[in-house]
Amino acid sequence: MQRSASCGTEEAVKNSANHDFSLDASVSDVEKAAVKPSDDAIAKDFVHSSDQNGQGLIDQKTLPNSDVSTLAEEEDEFPEGGLRGYLVVAGAFCGLFSVFGIINSTGILLDYFSTHQLKDYTSSQIGWIFGLALFLTFFCGAPIGPLFDAYGPRLLMVCGSVLLIASMFLLGLCTQYWHFFMVYSVLNGLGGAFIVTPCMGSIGHFFLLKRGNATGIAMTSGSIGGVVFPLMLQKLLPTLGFAWATRILGFILAGLLGIANLVVRSRLPRKPMGSLMNVAPDLTVFKDPPFALVSLGIFLMEWGIFVPLSYIAPYATSNGHSSAFGFQIIAILNAGSFFGRWLAGMVADMIGRVNTLILSILTCTIACLALWLPAENSTAMIIVFAVIFGFVSGSNLSLSPVCVGQMCKTEHYGRYFSTCWMFVAFGTLTALPIGGQILSVNGGSYTGLIVFAGLSYAAAAACLIAARVLKVGWKIKMVY
C-alpha cells in the first residue's frame, strides 16, 4: 500500500500567523508538489485567470496574482538548494523510504499474515491491522504540523524513528491478533506520521521555486522502497524466517532513519505553538459544494486504490501463481508507480491538475474492470494490469492535494487540506476491512472485491467531474 500525499503552496510560508506552515510546506508537499510551474515560467509575468469565485483556474501560462507577488517577495529568501538544502532532500528521501517502502509492501505482509500467524482470522479482520496503520499515519499528520513549526524536526523524527524501528523488531515476535494491532497498527502508524510531516516540512524551508522538484525526488523513495522490500522479503522469508526477515528490515530502517535524523533540519524561525484548534477540522468548509465533492471523490479514490495495492499478491497466489510471483507483482506495480508520478506532473502542467486526476481515475477504473477482473490465472494480464495500474495510480496520490488547493484561496489551503485529509483518512481506515469482508462473503472469490474497487473509482471520477462542472462549467478544453 502506498500511500503517500503533497502539493506546494508558496504563499503560506510567511503571510499568515494562523496558517500552519507544516501543512502547506510539508504534508501538502508530499508527492503533490511534483505538479508545479517551471522555474523559467515563474520568472515571467503572469496573467491571472479565475472563475466566478476568483480562484482556482490555471492556464498554461498563468498563476494566481497572490502567488506571483509572494514568489517575488520570497524568491531571494530561500536557498533553493546548496549543500544543506540537498542534504535535507537526501535525508527526507531516507525517512520517506522507511515509511512508504513498508506501506507499499503491505500486500506482501497481508498475504503472509493470512497464511501463517493469522490464518484463523478473516480477511476483513486482518485488513483492520493495515487500515488502522494507514489511518494513523495520515490522520495524525495534520496535528503534528504545529509541533514541527514550534520545535523543529529533530524531536519529532527521533520519536518517529524509535516507533518505526521498534515496530519492525517486535513484529517478528507477534503471534496473536492484538500483538499485530499494537506493534504494526499503532507503532508503525504513529511512527510514520512523526516522520512524514517533518521530512516534507523541512524541504519547504529550503526550497520555494524548486520545491516541486525537491519533494518529487524525495517522494520517489516510496516507489523504490516498494520495489526493494518485496524482493528482499522474497529471499529472506524462505531462508531466514519471518522473525529475522523483519529484524533485517529493522536494521535497514535504523540506518536510513539515522541518516535522516542527522541531516534533516529546519531553517525558518520557530512559530509559537498557539492553539491546537488551529488544525482541528473546520466542517463549515464542506458547505462549499465543489470542495465537498472533491473531498468525497478522494475518499472514494482511497477505497479504490488500496484494494489492488493490498490484494494483488494474494489474488495472484490464489489463482495458481507461485508465492515468488506474488512478491514480484508488487515490485512491478510499484515500479510503474515510480514513472507515473513523474509523468503526472508534466501532463498536469499542460492540461490541468483536476483534468489529469479525472483521466487517471477513469483509467484506473478501466484497468480494474477490463484487465484485473478477467485476468484470473493469466500471467500476462496480471502483469499488464500491474504496470498500467501502478503507472496511473501514482498520479492519484500525487495530484489529489493539488486539486484540493484549486478549490480554495491559497491563504486558506492549510485549513482546507487538514479538513479534507482528516476526512479522507477514514477511507484509508475502512478500505481494507470492507474489501476483506467482501472477499469473505464471496467465499474467497475476488470478483466482488475487484468490482468494489472499480465502482469506487467510477464514483470518485463522477464526484470530481461534478466539482469541475460547478467550478468551470462544461468547458472541456479548459485547463483546470
Side-chain angles (χ1 to χ4, degrees):
M1 296 166 72
Q2 49 192 346
R3 187 109 173 142
S4 30
S6 51
C7 150
T9 55
E10 296 85 0
E11 184 170 321
V13 176
K14 68 176 184 178
N15 283 3
S16 172
N18 293 326
H19 190 163
D20 178 12
F21 176 84
S22 65
L23 291 174
D24 294 338
S26 65
V27 180
S28 59
D29 270 345
V30 178
E31 295 185 339
K32 288 75 183 178
V35 213
K36 58 153 186 54
S38 65
D39 297 348
D40 292 335
I42 292 175
K44 299 177 182 179
D45 292 329
F46 291 95
V47 179
H48 181 54
S49 174
S50 65
D51 63 356
Q52 62 269 26
N53 295 321
Q55 56 187 332
L57 294 185
I58 305 291
D59 283 333
Q60 291 173 328
K61 298 181 180 180
T62 65
L63 280 177
N65 288 332
S66 58
D67 289 344
V68 177
S69 62
T70 304
L71 291 174
E73 293 170 1
E74 298 184 350
E75 183 175 356
D76 295 332
E77 298 181 15
F78 284 74
E80 299 296 348
L83 178 61
R84 286 185 60 190
Y86 284 111
L87 280 175
V88 168
V89 174
F93 181 96
C94 293
L96 298 174
F97 193 107
S98 304
V99 177
F100 292 109
I102 297 298
I103 288 177
N104 290 342
S105 304
T106 295
I108 299 301
L109 297 175
L110 187 148
D111 189 30
Y112 190 87
F113 293 167
S114 63
T115 55
H116 292 78
Q117 299 97 322
L118 302 178
K119 60 184 178 181
D120 295 327
Y121 291 85
T122 67
S123 298
S124 179
Q125 291 172 319
I126 298 173
W128 281 111
I129 296 172
F130 299 97
L132 180 60
L134 283 168
F135 174 80
L136 291 175
T137 296
F138 295 117
F139 185 86
C140 296
I144 287 173
L147 295 174
F148 170 79
D149 288 338
Y151 304 108
R154 191 58 49 87
L155 181 60
L156 295 173
M157 293 194 64
V158 169
C159 293
S161 300
V162 170
L163 292 174
L164 285 175
I165 295 169
S167 174
M168 282 298 104
F169 277 108
L170 294 174
L171 191 59
L173 304 177
C174 296
T175 57
Q176 299 183 40
Y177 184 77
W178 71 270
H179 294 169
F180 289 95
F181 232 99
M182 296 302 299
V183 169
Y184 189 88
S185 302
V186 178
L187 293 185
N188 189 276
L190 289 177
F194 277 105
I195 294 295
V196 171
T197 299
C199 283
M200 292 299 97
S202 296
I203 290 177
H205 280 216
F206 288 87
F207 296 86
L208 180 63
L209 301 182
K210 298 180 180 179
R211 189 178 296 167
N213 285 334
T215 54
I217 291 171
M219 282 310 302
T220 58
S221 59
S223 295
I224 297 173
V227 174
V228 173
F229 286 157
L231 295 180
M232 282 184 54
L233 290 172
Q234 178 187 351
K235 298 294 183 183
L236 294 176
L237 288 174
T239 55
L240 299 179
F242 182 75
W244 267 107
T246 52
R247 287 180 193 134
I248 291 174
L249 287 182
F251 284 117
I252 294 173
L253 294 193
L256 292 169
L257 292 169
I259 296 172
N261 278 273
L262 287 175
V263 299
V264 172
R265 63 185 70 184
S266 58
R267 182 184 65 88
L268 298 176
R270 301 284 191 263
K271 292 171 60 178
M273 180 66 181
S275 171
L276 286 177
M277 292 302 295
N278 291 337
V279 295
D282 181 4
L283 299 182
T284 61
V285 299
F286 286 112
K287 293 181 180 179
D288 177 28
F291 172 76
L293 285 167
V294 167
S295 298
L296 179 59
I298 297 173
F299 180 99
L300 293 168
M301 184 193 75
E302 300 291 333
W303 273 4
I305 192 171
F306 283 115
V307 168
L309 292 177
S310 302
Y311 285 103
I312 184 67
Y315 174 85
T317 55
S318 69
N319 279 281
H321 293 87
S322 66
S323 59
F325 181 77
F327 288 94
Q328 293 161 5
I329 201 66
I330 292 289
I332 291 170
L333 191 151
N334 282 302
S337 176
F338 174 85
F339 295 102
R341 294 179 190 185
W342 286 106
L343 184 63
M346 293 185 289
V347 173
D349 282 343
M350 293 185 291
I351 69 172
R353 286 89 179 264
V354 175
N355 295 342
T356 304
L357 183 59
I358 290 172
L359 289 176
S360 72
I361 288 177
L362 289 174
T363 306
C364 287
T365 305
I366 295 171
C368 287
L369 299 179
L371 294 176
W372 192 18
L373 184 61
E376 296 184 350
N377 61 351
S378 171
T379 303
M381 287 193 70
I382 294 177
I383 292 176
V384 170
F385 166 75
V387 171
I388 294 177
F389 181 83
F391 185 82
V392 293
S393 65
S395 63
N396 293 173
L397 300 175
S398 64
L399 293 179
S400 47
V402 188
C403 295
V404 172
Q406 289 193 210
M407 299 296 114
C408 63
K409 293 182 179 179
T410 304
E411 58 266 28
H412 300 152
Y413 183 78
R415 182 160 54 96
Y416 276 67
F417 179 87
S418 61
T419 301
C420 176
W421 248 258
M422 286 183 177
F423 168 68
V424 167
F426 288 93
T428 66
L429 174 67
T430 55
L432 295 185
I434 291 174
Q437 186 62 34
I438 293 173
L439 191 61
S440 299
V441 169
N442 284 274
S445 170
Y446 282 82
T447 300
L449 182 67
I450 297 171
V451 171
F452 167 71
L455 292 180
S456 296
Y457 265 124
C463 290
L464 289 170
I465 291 171
R468 185 189 184 281
V469 170
L470 289 176
K471 295 293 284 186
V472 301
W474 292 97
K475 303 173 183 177
I476 297 177
K477 295 184 179 180
M478 173 68 71
V479 176
Y480 182 71

